[in-house]
Amino acid sequence: MSHFYRGRTSLEKDAGDQEQIIEWYDMYSLSLFKYILKMIHDAQQAEDLLQDTFIKAYTYLMRGKDVDYPKTFLYRTAHNLTIDHIRKHKPIRMIKDFFNNREDPGPSVEDVIEIQESSQELFDALYSLKANYRQVIILRRVEEFSVKDTAEILGWTESKVKSTLFRGLQKLEEKLQKGDVGDGQS
């Protein structure tokens, strides 16, 4: 897409930008939504952040900038918006979680089948990891991004992605073996 708009009028470029965003939305919106949801665990907010991601992408294109790797570009944009959201709302979330945990004892053991218990245990263990570990594990192992793409999305070096993934997986394994799914600070 790098020289797609040369020689076109502003109106033709705007229409091209809109078509490009629609195409990207069709291709990536579901996987981006799932990625954001895994980070914040709030479907409505994930939808809002997904919308913000595509608005930012459209604005970027409207400024005449080119995107060579749209998937990586969109994940990077979604990642940054999600991290900003988490930072902004962390104190509120901690208070909500405190009260929600006191009111909701969770499902009874009789109602949960073994596979769901294992999945929930894995999810809880993953969510209890430090944000850096959780992010790199989600991108590399769940979303199946390459080391290079993960580095670009997170703004890290490839060696940092590899070492953080290694340490994160070790921590995750420790937590699963111990049954330790604490407060997200490990």
Side-chain angles (χ1 to χ4, degrees):
M1 183 182 127
S2 56
H3 302 294
F4 184 73
Y5 298 117
R6 285 203 178 163
R8 293 187 177 198
T9 67
S10 177
L11 188 57
E12 288 172 327
K13 183 183 177 327
D14 290 350
D17 290 343
Q18 289 174 4
E19 288 173 19
Q20 187 66 64
I21 289 297
I22 291 168
E23 181 182 326
W24 290 352
Y25 186 87
D26 291 342
M27 292 173 63
Y28 304 117
S29 64
L30 183 58
S31 61
L32 281 166
F33 174 78
K34 288 177 182 178
Y35 172 67
I36 295 168
L37 185 60
K38 287 171 191 158
M39 300 269 294
I40 62 172
H41 310 289
D42 178 341
Q44 183 61 48
Q45 191 59 52
E47 287 178 16
D48 292 346
L49 289 168
L50 178 67
Q51 181 180 9
D52 291 347
T53 298
F54 282 96
I55 289 170
K56 257 192 170 327
Y58 181 71
T59 303
Y60 187 82
L61 291 176
M62 290 294 294
R63 288 188 300 220
K65 307 224 176 173
D66 296 328
V67 176
D68 294 325
Y69 303 101
K71 185 176 182 180
T72 306
F73 170 76
L74 290 169
Y75 268 83
R76 175 72 178 182
T77 303
H79 171 79
N80 289 341
L81 288 169
T82 304
I83 294 302
D84 289 346
H85 170 78
I86 290 168
R87 286 183 185 141
K88 216 180 282 181
H89 294 90
K90 191 172 184 175
I92 295 167
R93 183 173 188 154
M94 287 172 53
I95 292 168
K96 280 184 181 177
D97 286 349
F98 173 76
F99 286 110
N100 287 338
N101 288 340
R102 293 180 73 200
E103 295 171 7
D104 183 13
S108 67
V109 176
E110 298 85 22
D111 295 340
V112 181
I113 61 174
E114 189 172 325
I115 190 76
Q116 288 174 325
E117 288 176 350
S118 297
S119 297
Q120 187 63 44
E121 182 181 346
L122 177 60
F123 176 78
D124 290 345
L126 181 62
Y127 190 67
S128 71
L129 294 173
K130 287 193 314 189
N132 283 352
Y133 292 158
R134 184 172 57 247
Q135 291 165 3
V136 76
I137 290 171
I138 289 170
L139 287 170
R140 288 284 294 131
R141 296 293 191 231
V142 178
E143 299 296 330
E144 298 179 341
F145 276 98
S146 67
V147 171
K148 181 181 178 184
D149 288 345
T150 301
E152 191 172 321
I153 290 167
L154 296 174
W156 296 353
T157 63
E158 290 183 28
S159 63
K160 181 174 179 180
V161 168
K162 291 175 188 176
S163 64
T164 303
L165 177 62
F166 178 76
R167 286 192 300 267
L169 290 172
Q170 282 183 321
K171 274 289 192 193
L172 183 61
E173 184 177 359
E174 286 173 23
K175 286 181 172 294
L176 289 170
Q177 287 175 352
K178 292 182 196 174
D180 174 24
V181 289
D183 61 3
Q185 301 303 314
S186 298

